[in-house]
Amino acid sequence: SADALARARKWLDGYSGAPLFLFVHTYATRPVHAGIDAVADPGARTRHLAAYVEQVRAADQGVRALLATVKDRCDADKALFVLTSGHGEEFFEHRAVGHGTHLYDEAMRVPLLLKGSKVKQKGRLDDSVSLVDVAPTLLTLAGVPVPASMKGSPFARLLQSGTAPEAGPRVAEATRPVRLTDEGMLELWGAPSYALREGSRKVIWNAGGDDSIEAYDLAADPREQRNLAGAGPLPAW
């Protein structure tokens, strides 16, 4: 819920100082898109995006307060803080709003911030990792063996020495069967869709719909507006 950050702070008031793993999941940034008709009302996107930004700012203040509470109750030299998100949010960049149906970067790219004494590489790293890699990375940094059954690949070396992980293409899928269009209409679509990304190259396969292929060079086209498979043959890659 939206008050998860405040409840976590209250829980910490009784924290004994024992070894701690604290996971806080908040829905503080959850825009309501119902009834938006961006075609009839061109200003709708601007207003809803501005409201979303305010939600993000409020959540940021909640995280700031939580970190201030934790600061007095743990050993900063041993602590590791991680901030991330489950998904992004669409605001009609590709004629839809929300998340769960499209695999464009406005829904797939999420923040991932790590802070702690074991994070030696400071600043912004452009290497691509996946959310499924976060859990094994935390275990590795904590000196805990990663279970063989756990999916994902640790990127601890990237944080400690700058050595990029040896990882194959990143895979994603979208399975939500209904999406809200820019005309304010709920639209059934053919799920699922799959995406495969390696470096700046990305391919989307709309398997359950029209069986179409989309291909994007994210280095040259980060907003995914030029489908390289839309006209002529597919790129060689």
Side-chain angles (χ1 to χ4, degrees):
S1 64
D3 67 345
L5 292 165
R7 289 190 288 115
R9 291 178 60 200
K10 184 177 180 180
W11 180 86
L12 283 168
D13 286 339
Y15 170 51
S16 65
L20 170 70
F21 175 80
L22 176 64
F23 176 82
V24 183
H25 185 188
T26 176
Y27 287 103
T29 54
R30 197 168 193 179
V32 178
H33 300 297
I36 303 175
D37 187 342
V39 173
D41 181 5
R45 179 182 187 274
T46 300
R47 291 196 304 274
H48 281 263
L49 186 56
Y52 180 62
V53 169
E54 287 303 312
Q55 289 184 346
V56 173
R57 286 175 175 161
D60 182 70
Q61 292 300 318
V63 171
R64 185 189 302 271
L66 177 62
L67 293 179
T69 301
V70 173
K71 182 178 180 181
D72 299 328
R73 290 170 169 81
C74 70
D75 186 345
D77 290 334
K78 297 181 180 179
L80 176 64
F81 301 96
V82 182
L83 176 66
T84 189
S85 176
H87 55 77
E89 199 73 14
E90 297 181 68
F91 287 89
F92 306 117
E93 292 88 350
H94 292 87
R95 290 197 62 249
V97 72
H99 61 270
T101 59
H102 282 164
L103 292 172
Y104 303 110
D105 268 16
E106 53 262 27
M108 291 181 58
R109 285 193 67 182
V110 296
L112 177 59
L113 297 89
L114 299 97
K115 179 180 179 181
S117 60
K118 294 186 178 182
V119 179
K120 305 299 184 183
Q121 293 295 312
K122 308 299 182 181
R124 178 171 178 166
L125 304 178
D126 292 328
D127 298 86
S128 176
V129 299
S130 176
L131 287 179
V132 76
D133 301 331
V134 173
T137 299
L138 299 186
L139 292 177
T140 301
L141 291 175
V144 178
V146 178
S149 60
M150 179 171 280
K151 298 181 180 179
S153 302
F155 53 89
R157 286 193 302 167
L158 177 63
L159 302 174
Q160 295 174 322
S161 65
T163 303
E166 295 182 5
R170 303 294 175 179
V171 181
E173 62 180 345
T175 59
R176 180 169 292 177
V178 180
R179 63 182 166 211
L180 185 64
T181 71
D182 54 358
E183 296 178 335
M185 303 294 293
L186 285 175
E187 175 184 78
L188 289 172
W189 74 290
S193 287
Y194 303 100
L196 191 69
R197 174 174 177 171
E198 190 166 26
S200 64
R201 297 168 174 176
K202 180 176 176 182
V203 174
I204 299 174
W205 173 31
N206 300 302
D210 56 5
D211 199 37
S212 63
I213 295 289
E214 301 174 53
Y216 299 98
D217 179 358
L218 299 178
D221 178 27
R223 296 183 181 273
E224 296 162 287
Q225 297 296 308
R226 297 188 297 276
N227 179 11
L228 301 178
L234 284 168
W237 47 264

